Amino acid sequence: MENPVIILGAQTVGTAALDAFLSNDVVVYCLLDDDKKLQGTELLDVPVMGNTDDGELLKLLGKKCEVFVATDDTASRRSLTEMLRNEYEAVPVNAIHERASVSNHATLGHGNYVGPNAVVAATATLGDGCLVNGNAVVEARATVGNFAQLGSGALIGADVQVGEQAFVGAGAVVVAGVKIGDKARVGAGSVVVADVPNGQTVFGNPAVKV
């Protein structure tokens, strides 16, 4: 990546994304965050400057800077991504940690985070704005929908479909072929052996509706 990156969000996801870029020797120009307590501070020696809608800084996007959306809230991540596309014609780049293993034969959209020691196998697909945290595994032919989040150590089995804005908690196992609906939530450590409808929350081994 030739251009420096501006990261929108300086909290948990922003820290992880910054670490991923730095692991690949990518220059991060600054972080932006709406929390005034963070503005004027530094994160890993990178300055946290204005709000996430700072027009003076965002006008650098395109020829001079790339952008990554790293807000913790899924709805905010989605709305900021749409704003960047509509107002600045900017598409977020992927933040893939140097220690992640992403197959050349996997398909990735834009603005995804893939953490250290995470694995995205050949023929797996990530949409846009997905968060694949450290040690998570996405197996062959699995599909992870736009703005979905996989917790640390989550295992997404072969042929699994994870819906848009779904959440799979840390250490959860979704067995091969299961479908997780849009905005569904899977509790940490759960073992999912049956399909989960849109918007439903499940927990346990085997996972059941909460």
Side-chain angles (χ1 to χ4, degrees), residues 156-178:
I156 306 301
D159 297 299
V160 166
Q161 295 178 30
V162 177
E164 294 193 7
Q165 301 182 64
F167 174 86
V168 179
V173 176
V174 183
V175 301
V178 165

Side-chain angles (χ1 to χ4, degrees), residues 69 77 81 94 109-113 127-131 145-149:
V69 180
R77 205 161 65 250
T81 300
N94 290 318
H110 302 285
N112 296 298
Y113 165 74
D128 295 334
C130 300
L131 302 180
N146 297 337
F147 302 101
Q149 181 171 344

Side-chain angles (χ1 to χ4, degrees), residues 10-198:
Q11 302 187 46
T12 306
V13 178
T15 303
L18 175 58
D19 182 55
F21 285 122
L22 295 178
S23 77
N24 290 289
D25 296 321
V26 173
V27 174
V28 176
Y29 181 75
C30 69
L31 301 99
L32 302 179
D33 198 281
D34 295 335
D35 186 343
K36 289 189 170 17
K37 293 178 183 177
L38 294 175
Q39 294 170 11
T41 66
E42 290 188 345
L43 181 61
L44 306 182
D45 297 324
V46 177
V48 181
M49 300 175 78
N51 292 327
T52 54
D53 59 356
D54 188 316
E56 286 301 306
L57 287 166
L58 294 181
K59 70 182 182 182
L60 298 173
L61 301 179
K63 294 181 180 179
K64 294 183 179 179
C65 280
E66 306 292 348
V67 67
F68 183 82
V69 180
T71 53
D72 295 15
D73 177 69
T74 300
S76 174
R77 205 161 65 250
R78 185 178 182 181
S79 64
L80 279 171
T81 300
E82 290 175 355
M83 178 272 289
L84 291 168
R85 285 177 169 161
N86 294 334
E87 296 183 24
Y88 297 94
E89 297 182 352
V91 177
V93 294
N94 290 318
I96 300 173
H97 198 281
E98 188 231 358
R99 293 205 316 274
S101 175
V102 178
S103 171
N104 290 333
H105 304 288
T107 301
L108 273 65
H110 302 285
N112 296 298
Y113 165 74
V114 183
N117 304 314
V119 176
V120 181
T123 68
T125 300
L126 301 183
D128 295 334
C130 300
L131 302 180
V132 181
N133 285 293
N135 298 297
V137 176
V138 183
E139 293 190 342
R141 300 179 305 279
T143 301
V144 180
N146 297 337
F147 302 101
Q149 181 171 344
L150 309 180
S152 299
L155 173 59
I156 306 301
D159 297 299
V160 166
Q161 295 178 30
V162 177
E164 294 193 7
Q165 301 182 64
F167 174 86
V168 179
V173 176
V174 183
V175 301
V178 165
K179 295 180 180 179
I180 306 294
D182 295 345
K183 298 184 178 180
R185 298 181 66 82
V186 175
S190 298
V191 178
V192 185
V193 298
D195 292 354
V196 179
N198 293 346

